[in-house]
Amino acid sequence: MHADLMTAGNTSDRFVRHVATQASRHGIVQSQRLVEALRPRVTAVSAGTLVVHEGDKVPYLIALVDGWIALSKSLRNGDRQIIDFALPGEFIFAASADASMAALEVQALTDTLLARHSHTQWKQLIAQVPEMESVRTVLSGATRARIAERMLRLGKGTAQMRIAYALLELCIRLRALGEGTDQAFHIPLTQQQLGEFMGLSSVHVCRTMRRLERNGIIDVADHMDVRVRDAIQLAEIAKVDIDCLRAEILPRPLVS
């Protein structure tokens, strides 16, 4: 379900608030320019909506203003691998090499606000807000870094290592958005979706999460409200240095 942003006052207010916050994170001083540039193309999308089907025509770029988006690939038998989660302030490039056909499925996991841009519209946005070109560069680097870290654990890691890494990555990214702390955060995912993200069955995810809870490393309540009780041990299981991972996957404004 899609809704025109301008028909809902609360949605419009949420759009302005989130864009201002993201502009500050990316070092864009005049956030109002970005608000006015994005406003005509922003739509509200309901949770569960397939924004883009794999193989369909796709915009050059989708800017996520608010909410969670899953990017995935599926086999003919329906088995799905979630490639990445896009969070507020991030860009989605779903096109294949021909720049028009979607290589990925793009689905809203929560109610979202997003802005679709053709290549021409993106050039127009750059003309209005030149800083967005460097924002794209930084976000692309952050995306590559987190996917590389995740792929390493998908290929070489145990179930515990994969889940521990996923929780740390999402904790770090949510903390940067002000949507959690270093110890507590919420992920709007089912165990099946977390398994599709880390290449595990929902049963395996359940067992692994329970093991981490029994060992006093995490607590999980109320549909994925996560509290990290022992971050050092969780990082040891994930085989990461938390400070290094934070520096690697969090976008920061480019210094000219």
Side-chain angles (χ1 to χ4, degrees), residues 7-245:
T7 65
N10 290 341
T11 299
S12 182
D13 291 343
R14 185 159 55 103
F15 160 69
V16 173
R17 184 174 66 253
H18 279 281
V19 171
T21 299
Q22 291 154 22
S24 176
R25 285 179 58 222
H26 293 311
I28 299 173
V29 178
Q30 298 295 327
S31 64
Q32 188 59 34
R33 287 183 300 154
L34 187 55
V35 168
E36 296 308 320
L38 288 177
R39 188 188 295 275
R41 287 190 281 277
V42 169
T43 54
V45 178
S46 299
T49 300
L50 281 175
V51 179
V52 175
H53 292 263
E54 185 176 350
D56 285 356
K57 293 200 64 162
V58 66
Y60 169 71
L61 176 151
I62 299 173
L64 181 57
V65 178
D66 187 26
W68 282 57
I69 291 281
L71 290 80
S72 65
K73 296 279 289 184
S74 297
L75 296 174
R76 291 181 180 178
N77 66 3
D79 287 346
R80 182 170 78 151
Q81 175 68 45
I82 294 178
I83 308 301
D84 198 16
F85 293 122
L87 301 184
E90 296 176 351
F91 295 159
I92 298 165
F93 295 93
S96 57
D98 68 1
S100 63
M101 184 178 71
L104 301 165
E105 180 178 274
V106 179
Q107 183 179 27
L109 297 179
T110 66
D111 292 343
T112 68
L113 298 177
L114 52 83
R116 299 171 177 84
H117 295 78
S118 66
H119 195 264
T120 298
Q121 290 168 335
W122 174 252
K123 287 182 177 179
Q124 292 170 346
L125 178 60
I126 295 299
Q128 294 172 277
V129 188
E131 300 98 320
M132 291 300 287
E133 187 61 48
S134 65
V135 169
R136 181 179 65 167
T137 299
V138 170
L139 288 176
S140 295
T143 300
R144 286 193 300 273
R146 67 175 179 260
I147 289 178
E149 290 288 351
R150 201 178 313 124
M151 285 297 297
L152 174 61
R153 286 153 184 86
L154 282 170
K156 301 298 182 181
T158 64
Q160 273 205 124
M161 187 189 297
R162 297 182 199 185
I163 293 298
Y165 173 80
L167 294 177
L168 284 173
E169 179 196 303
L170 294 173
C171 178
I172 288 170
R173 293 170 67 192
L174 289 168
R175 176 69 179 87
L177 294 173
E179 296 185 9
T181 69
D182 289 336
Q183 292 79 36
F185 56 99
H186 174 72
I187 51 177
L189 306 174
T190 64
Q191 289 185 347
Q192 179 178 341
Q193 289 167 332
L194 184 57
E196 290 171 339
F197 185 48
M198 298 310 294
L200 299 168
S201 69
S202 57
V203 172
H204 216 157
V205 170
C206 181
R207 290 175 180 169
T208 303
M209 299 281 277
R210 286 179 179 173
R211 187 179 304 120
L212 292 172
E213 286 190 87
R214 284 197 307 269
N215 292 337
I217 298 170
I218 64 171
D219 286 328
V220 182
D222 295 331
H223 305 290
M224 290 297 190
D225 285 334
V226 180
R227 184 166 71 91
V228 178
R229 298 175 61 189
D230 190 337
I232 294 175
Q233 185 60 27
L234 192 63
E236 174 60 30
I237 293 170
K239 302 303 180 189
V240 297
D241 178 288
I242 293 177
D243 290 336
C244 289
L245 181 63

